[in-house]
Amino acid sequence: MTILIANIGTSDLAVKLDIDGHPYYLPIDFLAEPNLPQKVAELSPELQAIWNSQNQHLQSLLYPKLGLTSTKQRSRDITQLLLENYEHWQSRLSFVRIFGVINQAKALKATKAYIFVTDQKGEKMPNGHDKDTIFLYQLLDRWLQDKNFGLTLVAKTLPGDKNANDLESMLDFYETALADIRQTDDKDNCLFLASIKGGTPAMGTALQLKAMDTGFKNIVFIDPELSLPRVLAGEPSECKLTMYWGQLHAQKYRTLHLLLDRWDFDGAIAVLKDWQTTLSVLPSSLASNQISELSERQTTAIHALQLASCFFNFDRLGAQNILSHHQDISSLSYLETDYESWLNLLSHCQIYWNLEQIANFLWCLSSFWEDVLNYLIEKLGGSRYFFGNLDDWQLDKSQLEPELWKFLAKKDSKLNNWDFAKDGYYSMRMKRITKRYLVRGMIDQQNKNSAAGKIIDDCLKALNYWVDKRNDLIHRVKGASKETMREMLAADRAARNGEAKIACEVDNLVVTMKTLSKAVFDLLELPHHPTVSPEDASPAYIYSEIITFVEAEIRL
């Protein structure tokens, strides 16, 4: 579907007059254009003479037939009289400029046209404005109907209290009018064509700016090219299609950048798919190798963003599936191969903290707290203490060294009283504190880096208060925020809550998590991942790398 949006002006209508025995079409009120003097100079001497004396011809040949005096007349009055005597003048009318626009729109399968018109008749101007186009529009509508042109016109009339020469006023009017059009007609496969010729300069500027700014999915501009010989012959203007490619691409890129700044991968995917739809419905005359190449690169960027979305939703199987089906992002496959869920959770916490999404931060903190322990148990060889799949966390007492068992049993009274012969394996699922003791015991037993081990244990203790308080914070009347976190911590410390006493300060939560993470790498003698850098702008695990990849793909 294609829809035209256009201004209309007095230069659009020409009337056929007999001048020295030859028929010429003269505009009823041709307005100046920047390149008009050059165009006049290019005419033959004969046509120059006719063009330069068109006012005299109108006054002597047209006005008397309309019952007007032979002085300069208002175009509003001229078009009203032509409309009232339409049958007499029909065959002598030609909409030279706007009909070229309409022809181009029809060639692109347009079925509807919104035409912006003025009718400023009111208290301030009881006779209307000299150049009002309301009757001009009605003439055009009737003229097209007589030709069975198959185009439905819809008038968008400028309110009488709006100054058509005031840019601010016109920006406000066009923004509202175009938003209404977009609400009604802007579907994914709809191409909008905009023509800014006609109307006042402020109207043309406003239509151009707001057509690009209002958010149409697919917008192309039609520019009728001025040809004075064609005007004088009553022929429609030839038109050029313009997309303002650089500005539209920059606009999409800015939107995409804002979404990625907020880690909104699904929103970014929607923007890119919308941009692809725009490219797919462009007229063939606007298609280019550059656009074709961009569409391919957008597809690659979408695949990368889908990968990010899977990781962000902890869907590793989905990430594997995307990588296996899209070779264009094979260079990102290492993100899945080297994936560590605890680092993913750390990045989530950092992201949610910066976005002030505290409820999301708190549940990620709880998951991070335990996932660090799961990671350490596995890396320290603790899998041997559990029956079957480590994910089931079925503790097998027979596999524990005596000293380690004695340490764990002392710390967990329920474990100490567990009858393994009668009750079977002891489930450590949801036993995060016992896991912490197991890690501590394994570090001591293996004579690992004691300094790093102490930092890990101290950080876990400092974070534990917030893990315990997650539900209380989320379900408070005031909700979860950094401020309610401070209030809760202060109240619990005043009540001499032991956990609150050793809890880390609200503003140090992310720093404490990164300190814990660095100690994990130190304990395992692994290089630090950039994500654990104490800098606020440290890269987010997985996601910063994908965003860098996406931005490189879509930047022209």
Side-chain angles (χ1 to χ4, degrees):
M1 181 170 70
T2 303
I3 293 175
L4 173 65
I5 303 170
N7 285 334
I8 190 171
T10 58
S11 299
D12 286 314
L13 176 61
V15 180
K16 183 169 67 173
L17 300 174
D18 190 321
I19 302 174
D20 298 329
H22 299 284
Y24 291 100
Y25 284 83
L26 296 184
I28 62 167
D29 187 7
F30 198 89
L31 302 180
E33 294 192 18
N35 60 344
L36 183 58
Q38 177 186 344
K39 294 292 183 180
V40 173
E42 293 171 355
L43 291 173
S44 66
E46 178 188 357
L47 293 182
Q48 279 191 38
I50 292 172
W51 184 265
N52 289 330
S53 59
Q54 59 182 295
N55 284 334
Q56 293 92 305
H57 293 310
L58 289 172
Q59 292 170 14
S60 63
L61 300 175
L62 175 63
Y63 292 179
K65 294 179 181 179
L66 293 174
L68 297 171
T69 59
S70 297
T71 56
K72 178 66 175 174
Q73 297 292 325
R74 305 189 325 156
S75 55
R76 177 189 173 104
D77 298 336
I78 295 170
T79 52
Q80 183 177 8
L81 291 168
L82 289 171
L83 181 64
E84 290 172 356
N85 298 278
Y86 176 78
E87 288 77 9
H88 176 75
W89 290 99
Q90 174 191 5
S91 62
R92 285 179 276 183
L93 301 180
S94 180
F95 288 85
V96 284
R97 304 299 302 281
I98 197 168
F99 191 47
V101 171
I102 290 171
N103 273 338
Q104 179 69 75
K106 281 296 292 182
L108 296 172
K109 298 182 171 54
T111 55
K112 182 192 287 187
Y114 290 96
I115 309 295
F116 287 92
V117 303
T118 58
D119 182 14
Q120 306 224 279
K121 187 174 182 178
E123 289 185 10
K124 291 184 178 179
M125 288 185 284
N127 296 318
H129 191 279
D130 291 357
K131 298 186 185 299
D132 275 341
T133 56
I134 181 63
F135 301 118
L136 177 62
Y137 164 80
Q138 293 173 12
L139 275 169
L140 174 64
D141 190 22
R142 188 165 178 182
W143 189 74
L144 291 174
Q145 288 181 35
D146 287 346
K147 290 180 175 293
N148 295 316
F149 207 69
L151 185 70
T152 301
L153 298 191
V154 179
K156 286 289 184 179
T157 306
L158 182 71
D161 61 346
K162 295 284 187 181
N163 183 351
N165 292 298
D166 180 68
L167 180 58
E168 287 298 323
S169 181
M170 289 302 93
L171 288 170
D172 178 65
F173 167 67
Y174 277 92
E175 180 175 8
T176 301
L178 293 176
D180 290 342
I181 293 172
R182 181 170 177 258
Q183 180 72 26
T184 303
D185 295 295
D186 197 8
K187 307 297 187 284
D188 284 343
N189 62 345
C190 183
L191 174 65
F192 283 87
L193 305 170
S195 172
I196 65 173
K197 289 294 184 183
T200 65
M203 291 173 68
T205 300
L207 176 54
Q208 182 179 33
L209 293 177
K210 290 304 176 180
M212 290 189 289
D213 188 50
T214 303
F216 286 104
K217 291 183 174 69
N218 314 307
I219 184 80
V220 172
F221 289 84
I222 301 181
D223 184 17
E225 298 180 327
L226 178 59
S227 168
L228 298 186
R230 294 183 71 90
V231 172
L232 291 168
E235 297 174 357
S237 297
E238 293 181 337
C239 293
K240 178 178 68 175
L241 296 178
T242 306
M243 193 177 174
Y244 294 100
W245 169 252
Q247 180 162 347
L248 287 172
H249 180 71
Q251 184 183 64
K252 292 287 185 182
Y253 184 82
R254 283 195 301 271
T255 301
L256 193 69
H257 189 70
L258 289 172
L259 290 168
L260 293 179
D261 273 351
R262 296 187 59 82
W263 316 95
D264 185 353
F265 303 112
D266 291 332
I269 290 169
V271 168
L272 281 178
K273 286 185 174 180
D274 179 68
W275 192 216
Q276 281 190 315
T277 300
T278 296
L279 300 181
S280 70
V281 300
L282 286 180
S284 57
S285 59
L286 285 177
S288 67
N289 292 334
Q290 183 187 40
I291 291 177
S292 176
E293 179 190 352
L294 177 62
S295 184
E296 293 175 7
R297 290 161 61 184
Q298 286 172 337
T299 297
T300 298
I302 288 170
H303 293 157
L305 290 169
Q306 289 170 336
L307 179 67
S309 182
C310 285
F311 280 127
F312 205 75
N313 289 291
F314 303 97
D315 180 10
R316 191 175 181 185
L317 185 62
Q320 292 169 350
N321 186 55
I322 287 171
L323 285 166
S324 67
H325 285 86
H326 301 301
Q327 291 303 306
D328 52 352
I329 57 170
S330 59
S331 62
L332 297 175
S333 59
Y334 72 94
L335 296 175
E336 195 286 320
T337 305
D338 301 337
Y339 177 78
E340 295 294 350
S341 60
W342 69 280
L343 284 173
N344 194 7
L345 285 161
L346 173 63
S347 275
H348 273 70
C349 288
Q350 183 176 348
I351 288 167
Y352 287 138
W353 187 259
N354 290 335
L355 294 177
E356 303 280 343
Q357 295 181 16
I358 303 305
N360 287 332
F361 168 83
L362 289 169
W363 80 257
C364 278
L365 170 60
S366 300
S367 298
F368 166 80
W369 198 100
E370 188 164 359
D371 211 38
V372 167
L373 294 171
N374 296 345
Y375 175 76
L376 285 171
I377 289 171
E378 182 180 6
K379 293 300 180 183
L380 293 172
S383 301
R384 67 183 184 273
Y385 301 136
F386 296 88
F387 174 77
N389 192 317
L390 182 60
D391 289 341
D392 295 329
W393 295 105
Q394 299 293 313
L395 184 66
D396 185 352
K397 178 183 176 183
S398 66
Q399 299 300 315
L400 289 165
E401 293 83 1
E403 287 301 316
L404 185 55
W405 164 253
K406 186 184 297 184
F407 176 74
L408 279 179
K410 181 180 178 181
K411 296 294 185 180
D412 186 341
S413 59
K414 188 173 181 180
L415 176 61
N416 186 46
N417 297 325
W418 189 261
D419 188 338
F420 283 86
K422 177 183 176 183
D423 299 323
Y425 302 111
Y426 181 75
S427 175
M428 282 181 58
R429 186 185 295 277
M430 309 298 290
K431 302 289 195 307
R432 57 187 181 83
I433 300 300
T434 305
K435 288 180 182 178
R436 179 168 70 83
Y437 289 132
L438 176 59
V439 168
R440 198 166 94 185
M442 291 171 67
I443 292 173
D444 292 342
Q445 178 180 274
Q446 297 176 25
N447 295 314
K448 288 286 186 180
N449 185 327
S450 59
K454 185 176 186 309
I455 291 172
I456 290 170
D457 203 53
D458 289 345
C459 288
L460 289 170
K461 289 178 182 178
L463 294 170
N464 189 62
Y465 169 82
W466 298 109
V467 176
D468 283 342
K469 290 293 185 178
R470 179 191 64 180
N471 288 335
D472 289 348
L473 274 163
I474 291 173
H475 296 296
R476 276 192 163 200
V477 174
K478 290 184 178 180
S481 68
K482 292 177 183 178
E483 187 56 38
T484 57
M485 290 175 74
R486 294 186 186 95
E487 291 174 1
M488 176 178 280
L489 181 60
D492 284 346
R493 283 178 173 172
R496 300 185 182 280
N497 179 300
E499 286 286 313
K501 184 178 180 181
I502 61 172
C504 71
E505 300 296 335
V506 172
D507 294 328
N508 290 335
L509 276 165
V510 174
V511 173
T512 302
M513 294 172 72
K514 289 187 175 184
T515 300
L516 166 60
S517 301
K518 285 194 294 181
V520 169
F521 285 118
D522 290 340
L523 180 74
L524 301 176
E525 298 180 345
L526 296 172
H528 292 178
H529 192 280
T531 298
V532 305
S533 167
E535 300 296 327
D536 288 339
S538 60
Y541 178 67
I542 293 177
Y543 309 112
S544 291
E545 291 160 276
I546 291 180
I547 287 173
T548 298
F549 177 91
V550 168
E551 290 181 337
E553 283 297 315
I554 63 173
R555 187 179 294 116
L556 286 179

